[in-house]
Amino acid sequence: SQQYTTTMAPRTSQETASSPSPSTPPQVKTMPPTRNKSSGHVAVFNALSLLIWPSMLLVPLLLNAQGWNTHYSKVFPAEWYIVEDDYSPKPLGLSLGIFAVFVGQVFVLIYHFVRLQMFQFEMDNKSATHIPPVQKSGAPQYNYATGMLTHLAQPEGFGLLVLYLSGTWMYSLMPASYYSFEGGIDYFQLALCLACQDGVQYLMHRLEHVVSPELYRRSHKPHHR
């Protein structure tokens, strides 16, 4: 019988260099990490949310801007804001105060609407962190229009604010400095007032939780339903 033998020709140096070594593991190409688009949008939104504070203070900031045409002395006649005695307060300051609150609420509602849209964007992209709801029956479906009307219709909101400010202002029950337009805004004192007010509200909130179960049930539990 005829035998056939197969011989392998020696590989050239070029083939040897291009062939992987048996002891070297094959290299796997790795794709660069993809950036979560929603995280970038959220970061931008969080940065822009810092503008909510100056937006809420837009009216007093513009009316007290020295050298601007929006300064109160260039917008209103002097007899509208100069108080000659303590028993004849001018309604301009009262009206501007209520109007400033209204303008601030407009920016708050805009911020809340954009915030809801960002949250929905995260949910659609499955990038939102799941937070357990505080309600036993689960988080209710939120409607922006209904929530806005409920917020504006709160009796302790605009209604109480207008009645309280109108009574205390027109009956000269506030300190004399409240009725004077001179001096501008003391931002340090304003920051202290805001910090004290927020601190008192925080303390009241915590007390409703820890003083007694009965107080919590009657005063605060409906907030968590």
Side-chain angles (χ1 to χ4, degrees):
S1 62
Q2 187 178 3
Q3 293 182 352
Y4 295 89
T5 60
T6 303
T7 60
M8 298 184 62
R11 294 190 295 179
T12 63
S13 60
Q14 183 177 4
E15 292 176 340
T16 304
S18 60
S19 301
S21 174
S23 60
T24 304
Q27 296 181 355
V28 180
K29 293 183 178 181
T30 59
M31 299 297 293
T34 58
R35 182 182 178 183
N36 191 347
K37 293 184 178 180
S38 65
S39 63
H41 289 83
V42 172
V44 173
F45 173 74
N46 290 337
L48 292 178
S49 64
L50 298 176
L51 298 176
I52 189 65
W53 284 103
S55 299
M56 292 175 62
L57 301 173
L58 182 63
V59 173
L61 289 176
L62 290 178
L63 291 177
N64 284 273
Q66 294 289 343
W68 288 30
N69 292 329
T70 59
H71 193 265
Y72 68 87
S73 62
K74 298 182 179 180
V75 177
F76 305 105
E79 58 268 19
W80 286 21
Y81 56 83
I82 294 180
V83 180
E84 298 176 355
D85 56 77
D86 297 337
Y87 300 98
S88 60
K90 301 297 179 69
L92 177 62
L94 171 64
S95 303
L96 291 177
I98 297 175
F99 179 67
V101 174
F102 173 77
V103 172
Q105 286 297 304
V106 171
F107 284 104
V108 170
L109 293 174
I110 294 175
Y111 165 79
H112 183 50
F113 177 80
V114 177
R115 176 177 172 272
L116 290 176
Q117 298 302 311
M118 290 298 303
F119 178 76
Q120 187 61 46
F121 177 80
E122 287 187 308
M123 293 296 293
D124 294 341
N125 288 271
K126 298 180 180 180
S127 59
T129 304
H130 177 70
I131 302 177
V134 297
Q135 298 85 354
K136 292 183 179 180
S137 58
Q141 295 295 325
Y142 184 80
N143 181 272
Y144 176 79
T146 303
M148 179 183 65
L149 293 177
T150 302
H151 169 70
L152 296 177
Q154 291 292 331
E156 67 271 19
F158 276 108
L160 181 61
L161 178 68
V162 172
L163 291 176
Y164 170 77
L165 290 180
S166 299
T168 55
W169 182 277
M170 297 308 297
Y171 286 97
S172 301
L173 300 178
M174 293 183 174
S177 59
Y178 276 55
Y179 300 94
S180 175
F181 277 59
E182 297 179 359
I185 301 175
D186 190 332
Y187 292 99
F188 178 73
Q189 295 292 335
L190 177 61
L192 290 181
C193 290
L194 292 175
C196 291
Q197 177 65 24
D198 285 349
V200 170
Q201 290 188 335
Y202 171 78
L203 180 61
M204 292 175 61
H205 186 192
R206 296 303 303 169
L207 289 176
E208 286 181 315
H209 276 269
V210 302
V211 167
S212 70
E214 184 65 20
L215 176 63
Y216 170 80
R217 184 179 67 84
R218 291 182 176 273
S219 67
H220 197 62
K221 187 176 180 180
H223 167 71
H224 292 289
R225 288 180 181 174

